[in-house]
Amino acid sequence: MALSAIEVGDLTKDFGGLRAVDRVSLRVAAGERRVLIGPNGAGKTTLFHCITGTLRTSAGRVSLFGRDVTHLPEHRRTALGMGRTFQTSNVFMDLSLLENLVLAIIGTDRRKWVMHRSVGTFEAVRAKAREGLELVALAHRANDAAKFLSYGERRQLELALALNSDPRVLFLDEPCAGLSPSERHSISRMIGELPRDITVLMIEHDMDVALRLADRVTVLHRGRAILEGTPTEVQTNPEVREVYFGHV
Amino acid sequence: MPKAARILLALVVLAAAVLLPRVAGPFWLGLVTQMYVFGLLALSVDLLLGHAGLFSLCHASFFAVSAYTTAILQVRHAVPTALAAPAGILAGTILGLVFGLAVRTRGVYFILITIAFGYVVWGVAHRWSSFTGGDNGVTNVPFPALGTLRVESPTEYYYLVLAVLVLCTIGYRVLVASPFGLTLRGIKASETRMRSLGYHSDLHLYVAFVVSAALASLAGVLYVYYNRFVNPVAASFPISVEVALMAIVGGTGTIVGPFIGSGIILGLRNWVSSFFELYASVMGLVFIVVVLWAPDGVVGLVVRLWVRAVKAGTR
C-alpha cells in the first residue's frame, strides 16, 4: 500500500475536563482531497491544530509521510511539508501583501536569517511573491498593507500564504467561511486547481463545495470520527443525516 | 516623502551636526553628545519594541555592565581603550545572551522578568562596593585613545560619538530592511502565523534581543568615556524606563524616532529641572500627552500632518 501523507492514530485532545477530540484515527493518501465535516463543536479545528502542531496532543500519534511528528513543534512540521490556513484570517495586517508573501516563501529556508542585505535585493523571492499574489488575483495590491484588504481578499491572501510555504500537505480550515457566493466560487476553483502532488485536508461547512472537491469525506461528531466514505456514501448515510442535518 | 528629499534632509541634519561644535558652547556640546548616546540606547530598545513588539525594561543593565567593564579595566588595570572598549561591549552582549532567555515569555510577563533582571544588575552595582565602587562608582575614566591617536577634548569626543552613531544608524537600517528584520515585524504582527509558516519565533526574538543588547552595550561604552565616571544610576530602572519613553515619544519602529525622543526628553529635563524640582512629573505629563494625542510619537505626528497638508494642497 502506498505511503499515507497523513496518518493519525487515536489522537485525543483534552481541555481540562472537556474532551474535544476523542481517539480519532485517520489515514489520508498522498494526493487525496479529504474533507472534514461535522456540526459546530465537533472538534474539527482542534483536530487540525493537533495535526499541524498548533496545539499539543493529549494522546495519540501523528505522522507525515511515514515520519512520526507527534512531538515536533509546529515550525518543524512546516519545514517537513505541512501548510495551513486559519479559520479566521491570520495575515500580517501591518505588512504589505508582498512582504506577507515573502515571509511565507522564506519561512522554510535559511534566507530568513540574512541580516546584511535588504529584502529588496532578493529578486527571486520577490518574483515568486508576485507570482503568488497573481495566483490569488491580488497582484494589483502588492504594496498595500494587508489591513486595507476586504474580508474576501484577506481569505485569498490567507490561502496564498499557505500555498507559498511550499506544502506537501495543505490544511484548509473553512477557506470559504463568510464569503459571498462569487468569492466562494473563486476560492473553491483555486483549491480545485491545485496540483495533485499536494494533499489537501479541508474543513468545510458548505456541502456543495465540500462534496464537489472531496475524494473522501470524514464526519466528526462530538470529537469522534463517526464515518468515512465517498461523498455519495456520506450524503446518503442515515446516521450522518441525523447528526449533521438534524432530525428530518 | 520622496527618496531624494529624504537623502537631502539627512545630509542637512548631518551637516548641522558636523558644524555644531563651531557654534555651540561646552554645555550644549555636552548635552548633544549625551543625546546621541542615549538616542543610541533608545534605538537598541526600539529594535525590540518597535520591530519585534517586545517591551524590554532591562536595557540599562547592558548599558551599565559594559560601562563598568570598560571603566574598571581602563582605570584600575590600565587596559588600553582598544581592549577595554571591546571588552565592555562583549560583557554587555554576554549578559544579553543570558537575559535573552526572557523571550520565552511574552507580554506583561516579559516586562516583569526584564524589570527583575534589571534590578539584579542594579543591586550588584550598588551593593558589591569592593568591586563596583558602590555609590561612588568608578571615577577618573580617561578620554579614549587608540595608540597615539587620542581624544583630547570634548569636541573631539563629540566627533567620535557622531561617527559611531552614523555607522550604527546605517547598520541598523540595513538590519531592519533585511529578511531577518522582516521576520521580527512578522512576529509582532502575528506570531501564530509565523510559526505555521515555519519560523521558530523564540529563536528569532532571542537573536534580536542579543543584537539589541550589543547595541546597548556600545552605547554604554560611549557613555562612560563621555561621562568620565560610572555609578549605579546607569544601571537603574529609571534609565530603562526613560530610554523606552524616548523611543515612544520619538516614534517606535522608525530610526530617527529614538534620537528625536532622546533630544526631547534630555532637552526638556535640562530645561525644566533648572527652575522646577518636580521635573519627573513634567516628564510623566509629556508621556501622557504623547500617548493620548500622538501615539506614533513625534515622527508619526509629523507624517500625519504632512499627509494632511499634501491632501489639502492637492484639493
Side-chain angles (χ1 to χ4, degrees):
Chain A
M1 189 186 155
L3 197 58
S4 309
I6 288 289
E7 200 172 335
V8 174
D10 283 331
L11 194 146
T12 299
K13 177 67 189 176
D14 296 320
F15 292 108
L18 178 78
R19 180 151 288 193
V21 176
D22 190 5
R23 282 166 291 150
V24 169
S25 296
L26 279 179
R27 191 187 263 271
V28 182
E32 187 182 324
R33 267 85 183 109
R34 173 71 61 97
V35 171
L36 263 62
I37 62 170
N40 283 329
K44 307 181 296 289
T45 295
T46 306
L47 178 63
F48 258 34
H49 283 336
C50 289
I51 300 178
T52 59
T54 310
L55 290 176
R56 280 164 187 245
T57 56
S58 305
R61 298 173 317 281
V62 179
S63 53
L64 175 69
F65 291 103
R67 177 172 174 168
D68 187 354
V69 298
T70 316
H71 301 290
L72 290 185
E74 185 173 16
H75 64 96
R76 298 267 297 120
R77 299 188 200 195
T78 305
L80 290 172
M82 288 187 180
R84 69 167 298 176
T85 67
F86 288 81
Q87 192 173 4
T88 33
S89 294
N90 190 349
V91 299
F92 306 109
M93 291 292 190
D94 290 332
L95 304 185
S96 75
L97 269 57
L98 201 68
E99 287 172 323
N100 267 270
L101 270 272
V102 167
L103 281 175
I105 293 165
I106 63 174
T108 49
D109 72 42
R110 301 169 65 90
R111 281 173 295 189
K112 64 185 168 191
W113 288 108
V114 172
M115 297 186 188
H116 63 279
R117 273 174 65 186
S118 109
V119 174
T121 61
F122 288 84
E123 276 309 323
V125 174
R126 288 170 65 87
K128 195 175 167 201
R130 281 185 197 286
E131 269 171 41
L133 285 175
E134 264 162 40
L135 192 72
V136 294
L138 286 173
H140 61 295
R141 308 205 53 178
N143 294 319
D144 291 346
K147 63 184 166 200
F148 297 123
L149 294 182
S150 71
Y151 181 86
E153 288 169 327
R154 262 178 225 170
R155 297 304 292 167
Q156 285 161 261
L157 179 60
E158 176 81 32
L159 186 62
L161 286 180
L163 285 174
N164 281 277
S165 62
D166 270 337
R168 294 199 286 165
V169 182
L170 188 59
F171 295 82
L172 305 172
D173 194 348
E174 294 194 42
C176 298
L179 294 181
S180 71
S182 72
E183 289 170 327
R184 198 175 281 236
H185 181 75
S186 74
I187 291 258
S188 70
R189 206 190 57 223
M190 280 173 210
I191 297 168
E193 284 168 0
L194 291 176
R196 277 279 168 173
D197 51 6
I198 301 180
T199 308
V200 180
L201 274 84
M202 182 163 96
I203 296 172
E204 187 50 69
H205 269 300
D206 184 326
M207 289 302 275
D208 291 338
V209 174
L211 300 176
R212 191 169 63 243
L213 291 173
D215 295 325
R216 293 181 74 73
V217 176
T218 298
V219 185
L220 252 66
H221 182 49
R222 295 191 181 155
R224 295 185 179 203
I226 56 168
L227 185 81
E228 186 191 314
T230 63
T232 342
E233 282 165 13
V234 168
Q235 243 175 334
T236 52
N237 182 289
E239 198 186 351
V240 171
R241 296 186 76 88
E242 187 170 321
V243 302
Y244 201 73
F245 304 105
H247 291 278
V248 199
Chain B
M1 231 192 306
K3 197 174 177 184
R6 291 178 108 150
I7 294 174
L8 190 67
L9 188 65
L11 288 177
V12 169
V13 171
L14 188 63
V18 169
L19 293 176
L20 184 82
R22 289 177 178 269
V23 291
F27 169 76
W28 286 102
L29 200 62
L31 185 61
V32 174
T33 310
Q34 204 182 343
M35 285 170 180
Y36 290 167
V37 171
F38 280 92
L40 207 55
L41 183 58
L43 189 68
S44 78
V45 170
D46 197 42
L47 180 64
L48 297 179
L49 183 59
H51 294 270
L54 288 176
F55 199 145
S56 158
L57 282 177
C58 66
H59 269 54
S61 300
F62 314 123
F63 182 73
V65 163
S66 106
Y68 268 104
T69 306
T70 303
I72 288 172
L73 286 175
Q74 180 112 41
V75 175
R76 292 198 203 140
H77 305 283
V79 175
T81 308
L83 288 177
I89 296 171
L90 188 67
T93 309
I94 289 171
L95 189 70
L97 287 169
V98 179
F99 285 9
L101 296 174
V103 302
R104 294 173 60 93
T105 61
R106 295 288 183 277
V108 73
Y109 298 100
F110 180 83
I111 297 176
L112 288 175
I113 211 163
T114 54
I115 291 176
F117 280 154
Y119 268 101
V120 170
V121 171
W122 174 81
V124 169
H126 186 57
R127 305 296 289 185
W128 190 10
S129 33
S130 60
F131 183 61
T132 62
D135 271 342
N136 296 325
V138 185
T139 50
N140 294 324
V141 178
F143 270 128
L146 254 180
T148 53
L149 269 178
R150 41 181 69 242
V151 172
E152 271 159 358
S153 70
T155 307
E156 287 175 24
Y157 192 59
Y158 170 89
Y159 283 117
L160 178 67
V161 172
L162 183 61
V164 172
L165 184 142
V166 168
L167 288 177
C168 285
T169 309
I170 293 169
Y172 189 90
R173 213 187 124 84
V174 172
L175 177 72
V176 297
S178 73
F180 178 73
L182 183 59
T183 65
L184 298 183
R185 281 179 287 144
I187 291 169
K188 186 184 180 193
S190 171
E191 193 175 347
T192 50
R193 181 37 117 176
M194 287 296 276
R195 286 209 200 101
S196 79
L197 288 176
Y199 293 91
H200 188 352
S201 52
D202 282 2
L203 194 57
H204 283 253
L205 293 178
Y206 183 71
V207 172
F209 192 96
V210 175
V211 170
S212 165
L215 192 57
S217 307
L218 176 63
V221 170
L222 292 177
Y223 170 79
V224 78
Y225 285 120
Y226 156 77
N227 218 20
R228 317 292 292 279
F229 75 91
V230 56
N231 66 9
V233 170
S236 65
F237 180 63
I239 296 281
S240 292
V241 175
E242 222 164 65
V243 290
L245 288 192
M246 288 173 185
I248 292 169
V249 167
T252 56
T254 65
I255 294 176
V256 290
F259 291 103
I260 293 176
S262 162
I264 290 175
I265 291 198
L266 291 178
L268 209 59
R269 182 170 68 183
N270 264 280
W271 179 55
V272 174
S273 63
S274 66
F275 59 84
F276 190 48
E277 263 183 50
L278 300 173
Y279 105 92
S281 38
V282 175
M283 299 278 93
L285 280 178
V286 168
F287 185 55
I288 291 169
V289 168
V290 166
V291 169
L292 289 181
W293 284 287
D296 301 324
V298 172
V299 173
L301 186 70
V302 169
V303 168
R304 219 178 331 148
L305 294 178
W306 175 276
V307 168
R308 199 182 293 170
V310 167
K311 266 190 192 155
T314 52
R315 199 174 291 149

